[in-house]
Each structure stands twice: as C-alpha cells, then as structure tokens.
Amino acid sequence: MMPSSADTPSSNRSGFRNRLDRLTLHRWWRRTVVEQIDHETVVTRIFAESGWSARYAFMTMMSAGIAVLGLLLSSPAVVIGAMLISPLMGPILGFGFSLALFDFSEMRRAAVALLIGSFLAVVFTAAIVALSPLQAQTAEIVSRTRPNLFDLGVALFAALAGSLAIIRGRGETIVGVAIATALMPPLAVTGYGLPTWNLPVLGGSFALFLTNFITIALAAAAMARFYGFGHYLSSQQSWTQTIILLLVFSIMAVPLGLSLIHIAREALTVSQVRSVLNERFGSDARVTQLEIKFDREPIAIRSVVITPRGQVQQTAPLKQAIEAVLGRPVRLDVDQLLLGAGADALDAQREELRRAGDQSDPVARQSTELAHVIALIAGVSADDVTIDRDHRRATARAVMLPGAAIATYRTLEARAAAETDGWNVAIVPPQMALPEIAFADDADELDVAGRAAVMTSAWAASRWNVPALTVPGLPAGELPSKPSLAQRRAKAIAAILATQGIGATGGAPAGSRLALSIATPR
C-alpha cells in the first residue's frame, strides 16, 4: 500500500518548517517588542488618567468654554488652545486599553468619566452660546459638521501614534495627537447646536465626536494587543477582539466614505460653476464670492463679480451655461460690481432692496439694506454681517481680497459708512502686515502720507481689538536729554497712536521707513 501525499517525508518537512517559522517569528516578537515594555507601569499610568475627578471636570469645562468662544470668534488659535488642555484623551485611551485587557471594571470607569465629561462640555457650551450675542455660524463651526472618511483616517493615525507614545514613554507626543483628533471642538459645536436648535449642526458634530472616540479607542486597543497587553487572554477572546475591531471600522467606514464622495461632488460643482463664471466674464473680472446652497431644490448659487462695465453679463445666459455644465437646474443670483462705477451698482442694489423690503418696519428694512450693502463691500454673505439694531452698529469680518492692503479695507469701511444714515459701521480686515511709515531724510516729523499710514495702523489695531502696537526705536519712559533720530520718530508715531486710544511699546530701531506690528503681551 502506497503512502498518501499528506504522509510523504517532503510534506512533513514542509509542515515542520512552517511551524518552526511561526515559532521563530513569535519568539522574535516576544523578545524585541513585548519584553521591552513595562506593562504594569504603562497600565497604571493610563488608568490613573482615565477616571473621574474634580480636576477632570474643571479642565473639561474650561476647555469647552475656550473651544466655543474660539468657534464663535472663528479663531483657529483659540480652538487649538482648547484642544491642548482637554482631558478627554485620558478616558478614551483608558477605554481602549481596558478593552484590550478585557478589564470591564476599568472600562466602566473610563466610560463613566467620558460620559460625564461630554455632558458637562455640551451643557456648558450651550449655556455660553445661549447668553452670547454672537450666534452666527462661522467657518470653524461649519468645518466640524460633516465628518467623512478622512476624519476616520486622521483619528486612526493619530491614535496609533498616541498609543505608541504612551507605551514607549514618550508622553509629549500626546500633545500633537490632541490637536490632530480635536475631541473637544466637536462637543462644543454640539453644544452650539442646542440653543440655536440647528439639528444638522448638532447631529454632524456629534457624529464627528463619536467617530474620533470610537476610532481612538479601538486603535489604542489594537496597539495594546500588539505590544503584548492582554497576552494571557484565550484564543476565543482574542478572536472576539479582532472581529469587533474589523466590524466596527467597516460599519463606520461606509457612511463616512459616502459622505466623502458627497463632499467631493459638491467641490467639483463649485469648481465647475467658478470656471463658467471666469470664462464668461473674462480675465479682467474677478469672482470675489461664490456660495452654493446644496440643500435647496434647485440648488441656489449666489456670486459677487467685480467686472469692467463692458463685460457685464445677463443672468439668463449665465444660468443656461451653468445648467448645461452641471446637467441640472439651478437658481442663480449674481451681483456685478462695475469697475469705476461701484457706487452706481450699490445704489441700484440698495434701491432694489428698498422696493422688496418690508415697508411696515422701517428699522428692519434699513438693517436688511445695510447688511446687503456691507456684505457686497466686505466680500461676505449678508448672513455674516452682525447687525445690532439697539446700538445701530453693523460689523463684518472682511475676506482677503487679492492685492488689497490695510488701507483698502479702511477705505471700504468709509464707503460703507457713507452709504448709511446714523449707523456705526465696522469692517474687520483680515490679519496682514501694517503699512510702512516713511520719513524724509533726517526728519522726525510725519508728512501727510506718513500720518495717514499711522492712522491706518491705529484703525486696524482697533478693529482687531489690539490694545498696543510695537513702534521700532521707541524708548521706555521719557526721551533722553539728547534723543536719537530713531527715538524722536518713534515718539512722534506713539503720540498719534495715543490720540486713537492705541498704546505703544518699544522695538528694534529702524531707518527712515518702518512698519508697526502687534505688541506681544509681557
């Protein structure tokens, strides 16, 4: 009787080599990966930061408060500050490691801390928004309402890096992980959605927080198992963990991937519409604003175009051209600002609004007209203009216009103020360099152009809520008995700033041409 192929010496040797290779690989993994880690110390450190405490509650509320104020002000720097002090990463990592260890007691402890912290953050931010006079959606808020597959990837990579840093004792890396995953801002946006009763914002931001939380926790569990945490678990428990990880990631990836596809299609639509407008108006015109509302049916397109008088376009042909490219009906609204005749265009816009406005409420009609006039000048939508009827004040944060300087925005504000009657108009320019201040050779007095540059710098500082500017060459205290030319020039500039309520601090001396800068608090 002939032996079967499974019993031949060659097949036995092949099976033995495979088992030997697996054993060698396992020994290498145990020796170079697992045995290099002090598992007990790592677990103790993680679980010490994963529970509930009074300090945890206080830091969570402070982080939430900073985050919501940064979101309302549309200040990325303030939002990043909230991420840095947020303690939410501790319970999430504790949840992930307890999942790897099948330690249900620590898992419940971390989950309770995370639930309480999330609840406090949402309630605290909702209270701030309810009391705030500023409740308009900003770019920082909108950017956290539509999670997609890229957000899952960011959270996954950041969680792997953070888990490795904790396991290897490189805790400083966790700061970068906190910024990358942005756990607190989505909760703050969720709190924003409650008092404003904006369900799409509330649901989208909370979905982003859940995406980050689940991804970080599961990635931490996977990294913990790779480094030998929970090596004593049975084969069945290990397979259960693996199946849970793969299943949850797959379930999350499907809707997030669909969301990414939807966002990509919207971006393509915006690009196509902008291409049509640029082609129709020509290279001498500039599309300064393009807003598409995809939640309307048909989609609503609003654009502001600065164009020479000879290249004015009719709306109907533009609409047909856009519909032909997109293959769907649209509602088009184009505001055309004529070069050299901008005032005429604004007069026509204001007259149109006056006729369409509510004649029974002159204050409401006037504020509506004012919002649209300022929106055209600042390059924003009318919804982004803050109108304070009680104090008759209108404020708008202008967008960056190509080739524009600080003086340009000051001129635009003066132009908007001239179009109003009894209203205080404030246009906040984007952060940019202040104008240069020139002196004549060996002169310490400002001419008309130099004084105008100082006044423009003071105007920008007041719009940015900056209390002081740095003046190169300014001495501390009184001028010495024999001041240098640079000191006399700096003192002349500081005197003009003082008349506008702006302080001055010293800086490195400069020549006959100098520029002011924002003073750094000491």
Side-chain angles (χ1 to χ4, degrees):
M1 179 178 179
M2 297 294 295
S4 65
S5 60
D7 295 331
T8 60
S10 60
S11 65
N12 290 336
R13 286 194 299 271
S14 176
F16 176 75
R17 281 197 300 269
N18 290 336
R19 288 192 296 271
L20 183 61
D21 290 341
R22 289 196 298 269
L23 182 60
T24 302
L25 180 62
H26 183 267
R27 286 177 177 174
W28 172 87
W29 172 71
R30 293 285 301 177
R31 184 174 60 257
T32 61
V33 177
V34 176
E35 294 179 0
Q36 302 298 319
I37 304 301
D38 187 350
H39 295 78
E40 183 176 352
T41 301
V42 173
V43 170
T44 301
R45 183 170 64 249
I46 291 176
F47 287 166
E49 297 292 332
S50 65
W52 160 262
S53 66
R55 174 187 173 277
Y56 168 82
F58 177 79
M59 295 299 293
T60 298
M61 295 177 67
M62 295 304 99
S63 174
I66 295 173
V68 74
L69 293 178
L71 293 168
L72 292 174
L73 294 172
S74 193
S75 173
V78 176
V79 176
I80 290 175
M83 301 177 196
L84 291 177
I85 68 172
S86 172
L88 293 178
M89 185 66 73
I92 296 178
L93 289 177
F95 188 92
F97 272 77
S98 62
L99 177 63
L101 298 172
F102 267 57
D103 189 336
F104 295 105
S105 175
E106 288 294 340
M107 190 182 301
R108 285 192 300 269
R109 180 169 170 268
V112 168
L114 182 62
L115 288 175
I116 294 177
S118 302
F119 176 78
L120 288 176
V122 171
V123 172
F124 190 58
T125 53
I128 292 176
V129 173
L131 298 175
S132 171
L134 300 178
Q135 295 185 351
Q137 290 188 33
T138 63
E140 289 292 320
I141 293 176
V142 174
S143 65
R144 291 171 172 85
T145 58
R146 303 183 66 182
N148 56 68
L149 196 60
F150 285 171
D151 295 305
L152 176 65
V154 170
L156 175 61
F157 299 149
L160 293 176
S163 300
L164 177 62
I166 291 294
I167 293 172
R168 287 293 190 179
R170 300 292 188 269
E172 64 274 6
T173 307
I174 206 68
V175 173
V177 174
I179 296 175
T181 53
L183 292 167
M184 184 56 71
L187 283 180
V189 177
T190 303
Y192 165 86
L194 285 177
T196 58
W197 200 241
N198 193 324
L199 295 182
V201 168
L202 190 152
S205 58
F206 190 68
L208 177 59
F209 172 74
L210 287 181
T211 298
N212 289 339
F213 156 60
I214 295 175
T215 304
I216 295 172
L218 296 184
M223 186 65 75
R225 287 309 309 270
F226 176 76
Y227 276 93
F229 293 86
H231 60 276
Y232 51 82
L233 297 179
S234 65
S235 173
Q236 182 178 0
Q237 290 174 321
S238 298
W239 275 109
T240 301
Q241 286 180 339
T242 303
I243 293 174
I244 290 176
L245 291 174
L246 295 177
L247 183 62
V248 173
F249 274 122
S250 300
I251 294 175
M252 288 173 40
V254 172
L256 293 176
L258 295 176
S259 176
L260 180 61
I261 293 174
H262 187 64
I263 293 174
R265 288 175 178 171
E266 291 183 356
L268 177 61
T269 300
V270 173
S271 177
Q272 290 174 326
V273 172
R274 185 176 293 275
S275 297
V276 172
L277 294 177
N278 288 332
E279 179 182 351
R280 287 302 182 108
F281 281 98
S283 59
D284 293 334
R286 186 172 298 278
V287 180
T288 62
Q289 181 182 346
L290 178 59
E291 179 183 2
I292 302 179
K293 296 186 180 296
F294 293 94
D295 56 346
R296 308 287 177 82
E297 188 58 43
I299 61 174
I301 302 175
R302 182 180 181 275
S303 179
V304 178
V305 182
I306 301 176
T307 178
R309 182 181 293 275
Q311 295 177 205
V312 174
Q313 301 291 318
Q314 298 295 324
T315 302
L318 278 177
K319 180 174 180 292
Q320 293 175 357
I322 292 175
E323 289 177 340
V325 171
L326 300 183
R328 59 187 298 184
V330 301
R331 184 163 61 86
L332 180 63
D333 181 14
V334 179
D335 294 319
Q336 302 181 48
L337 301 183
L338 307 183
L339 292 178
D344 294 339
L346 291 174
D347 288 339
Q349 178 73 12
R350 187 171 64 255
E351 181 62 26
E352 180 182 355
L353 292 169
R354 182 180 294 111
R355 294 177 179 178
D358 181 9
Q359 300 297 325
S360 62
D361 187 354
V363 177
R365 184 182 69 250
Q366 187 181 38
S367 61
T368 301
E369 296 173 2
L370 179 62
H372 281 80
V373 170
I374 294 177
L376 288 174
I377 292 177
V380 298
S381 67
D383 294 336
D384 293 328
V385 179
T386 302
I387 300 293
D388 184 353
R389 296 183 183 178
D390 295 334
H391 300 89
R392 298 180 68 80
R393 179 178 176 85
T395 306
R397 189 177 296 273
V399 299
M400 180 69 74
L401 298 176
I406 288 291
T408 306
Y409 296 97
R410 188 184 180 195
T411 302
L412 290 175
E413 182 184 272
R415 178 179 166 189
E419 299 293 329
T420 65
D421 183 15
W423 283 75
N424 183 10
V425 177
I427 292 182
V428 182
Q431 291 280 348
M432 61 174 60
L434 295 175
E436 281 192 342
I437 303 168
F439 287 85
D441 292 341
D442 298 326
D444 58 4
E445 293 184 359
L446 289 163
D447 57 13
V448 175
R451 179 177 290 272
V454 177
M455 295 294 288
T456 298
S457 298
W459 170 84
S462 65
R463 294 296 178 266
W464 293 335
N465 291 323
V466 173
L469 295 176
T470 297
V471 181
L474 181 67
E478 297 295 331
L479 286 175
S481 58
K482 293 183 178 180
S484 64
L485 178 61
Q487 290 175 333
R488 296 197 303 273
R489 287 173 172 174
K491 204 67 176 180
I493 294 174
I496 299 177
L497 293 177
T499 63
Q500 304 301 311
I502 303 299
T505 61
S512 61
R513 302 184 67 88
L514 55 89
L516 309 182
S517 60
I518 297 175
T520 303
R522 297 185 179 182

